[in-house]
Amino acid sequence: MISAQQLAALYHEHGALLFDQNIRSFLGRNTLNKEIEASLRSTPELFAHYNNGITMICRQLRVPRTKNRPFGQYLARGLSIVNGAQTVGSIAQAIPNGDPNPPEAYVMVTIIETQGAGDTFAVDVTRTRNTQNPIPQRSICRTGHRQ
């Protein structure tokens, strides 16, 4: 898990470079991204449940250990968000740089170290983490309590 505040700070510091190896960058404040912002503001405690999370790749990763559990600050070299540009960009829109009272929200994060994994591994992770079948609206309606 990573805090929304940390993700916003990362975006404010690095901008589009944060998505250097992604298939696409942040698309701006379109309808879906505005919904992400609204969810963050209205129910920050549920944000991690409502959001698919993000995937980061990096050349090298140093993971802190506390009582056999990874917890704390990670050191990542060559970091790029390869899935989740809309989530991170929307979070940055909702939490301006220096916001004194940001929402307390978290996002699931997968961090994948690519060092020594082969020449095409990073590209393969980016491609496969961005593959999803389209979901027709009628399928979404079927998941409700009433049919």
Side-chain angles (χ1 to χ4, degrees):
M1 298 293 274
I2 186 170
S3 76
Q5 183 178 8
Q6 289 172 307
L7 284 173
L10 245 139
Y11 184 84
H12 293 307
E13 183 177 343
H14 300 285
L17 289 176
L18 197 53
F19 312 118
D20 186 42
Q21 295 183 50
N22 202 328
I23 291 171
R24 65 179 170 201
S25 196
F26 178 53
L27 299 175
R29 297 189 76 222
N30 62 29
T31 302
L32 292 175
N33 290 343
K34 287 178 185 176
E35 288 180 22
I36 294 171
E37 287 181 54
S39 172
L40 177 64
R41 285 193 203 105
S42 64
T43 54
E45 71 280 5
L46 297 175
F47 192 75
H49 300 286
Y50 293 163
N51 187 277
N52 286 332
I54 65 172
T55 302
M56 300 176 173
I57 61 172
C58 62
R59 278 190 322 276
Q60 185 179 28
L61 181 66
R62 208 173 335 153
V63 179
R65 294 274 175 198
T66 306
K67 295 182 184 177
N68 298 324
R69 291 191 57 150
F71 180 79
Q73 287 190 334
Y74 288 55
L75 175 63
R77 297 188 191 281
L79 181 74
S80 181
I81 295 172
V82 297
N83 183 271
Q86 306 322 303
T87 294
V88 175
S90 297
I91 288 170
Q93 294 294 313
I95 304 175
N97 200 10
D99 187 338
N101 194 19
E104 189 173 328
Y106 293 87
V107 177
M108 295 291 290
V109 61
T110 302
I111 306 172
I112 301 170
E113 183 178 32
T114 61
Q115 182 174 320
D119 294 340
T120 65
F121 182 68
V123 172
D124 292 341
V125 167
T126 301
R127 180 182 47 79
T128 57
R129 288 286 177 131
N130 284 286
T131 302
Q132 181 177 340
N133 288 316
I135 303 169
Q137 186 64 36
R138 69 180 180 275
S139 294
I140 295 170
C141 294
R142 279 197 305 238
T143 63
H145 294 287
R146 301 174 106 175
Q147 293 188 13

